[in-house]
Amino acid sequence: MSERRFDLPNIDSASFQQPDPGRLVAADRATHPPRILLLYGSLRERSYSRLLAEEAARLLRALGAETRLFQPSGLPLVDDASDAHPKVRELHDLVQWSEGMVWSSPERHGAMTGLMKTQIDWIPLSVGAIRPTQGKTLAVMQVCGGSQSFNAVNQMRLLGRWMRMLTIPNQSSVPKAYQEFDEPGRMKPSPYYDRVVDVMEELMKFTLLTRDIAPYLVDRYSERKEDAEAASRRVDQASL
């Protein structure tokens, strides 16, 4: 008897659930185009992170998505304004609308730009009982002024994980970005462009696969246990 007890995990059996394969297939699949929000990290007149995001948006629309591109000019620093600021409200509304995101940043001083981080920092982790980013898909891209590096995309991956997003495996880093776009601002054909196509195609696939079952994918034992304990405390208090 004692050996069997030590073989069992030390869990709250009421909150513990084995994965149910049946719940990985949505009964009613959404038919509307996937809704993708794109953020970019530079306000320069010829911003290559914006041009890359615009190219990604063209690809996403060709793949069947609906896209919105947030224009961050005028967005205040975090804590320097309230959530009622028009640009903050605009960003929050777009995040709520989206089912997936693309983050495109230049690399500056070996990191994403402050503007990129400001946009991400304005996105709340929770609004009431709703977590605006949890379970949504994310693709990360960066542009480089010189040789190829991955510092910005690696940072954005950390943030995506922190915000409980489903960050896809593929990513794009465009070196010497000034050579990769023509005068009107379109990305030239190249292996780097092909990688962007790969990333957007993968984002679409992951979004279509997960958007209907995202609540189940991010349903956690620890949170079910906390909810059950909170409900028990409310019952106990009501009985006093």
Side-chain angles (χ1 to χ4, degrees), residues 12 25 51 61 105 122 133 151 155 173 182 208 233 236:
D12 177 353
V25 179
L51 295 179
R61 289 192 294 270
S105 178
W122 267 120
T133 55
N151 294 317
Q155 279 192 318
S173 175
D182 62 20
L208 289 168
R233 287 194 296 270
D236 291 342

Side-chain angles (χ1 to χ4, degrees), residues 102-167:
V102 176
W103 296 349
S104 172
S105 178
E107 180 173 320
R108 186 169 296 163
H109 300 314
M112 77 179 81
T113 60
L115 177 64
M116 193 75 231
K117 185 65 162 56
T118 294
Q119 293 174 83
I120 297 169
D121 283 348
W122 267 120
I123 299 173
L125 291 177
S126 63
V127 179
I130 300 173
R131 292 186 174 90
T133 55
Q134 179 168 266
K136 295 184 178 182
T137 52
L138 172 66
V140 293
M141 308 189 298
Q142 75 172 74
V143 292
C144 310
S147 59
Q148 189 177 47
S149 70
F150 300 92
N151 294 317
V153 288
N154 287 339
Q155 279 192 318
M156 290 187 285
R157 281 190 176 280
L158 288 174
L159 288 169
R161 184 170 71 242
W162 181 259
M163 300 172 79
R164 299 182 174 181
M165 302 184 76
L166 304 175
T167 308

Side-chain angles (χ1 to χ4, degrees), residues 15 131 134 164 217-225:
S15 301
R131 292 186 174 90
Q134 179 168 266
R164 299 182 174 181
L217 292 176
V218 295
D219 180 36
R220 295 175 176 84
Y221 163 76
S222 60
E223 294 174 356
R224 291 194 300 271
K225 183 180 175 185

Side-chain angles (χ1 to χ4, degrees), residues 45-76:
E45 183 176 353
R46 188 171 173 83
S47 163
Y48 292 107
S49 64
R50 174 178 56 80
L51 295 179
L52 184 61
E54 289 174 348
E55 201 65 44
R58 292 184 187 98
L59 289 166
L60 288 166
R61 289 192 294 270
L63 289 164
E66 181 181 357
T67 65
R68 304 278 177 85
L69 191 73
F70 177 66
Q71 213 287 348
S73 180
L75 183 70

Side-chain angles (χ1 to χ4, degrees), residues 73-93:
S73 180
L75 183 70
L77 293 174
V78 176
D79 298 330
D80 198 34
S82 74
D83 289 354
H85 188 284
K87 291 300 291 188
V88 177
R89 290 292 301 274
E90 179 188 353
L91 178 59
H92 285 187
D93 289 346

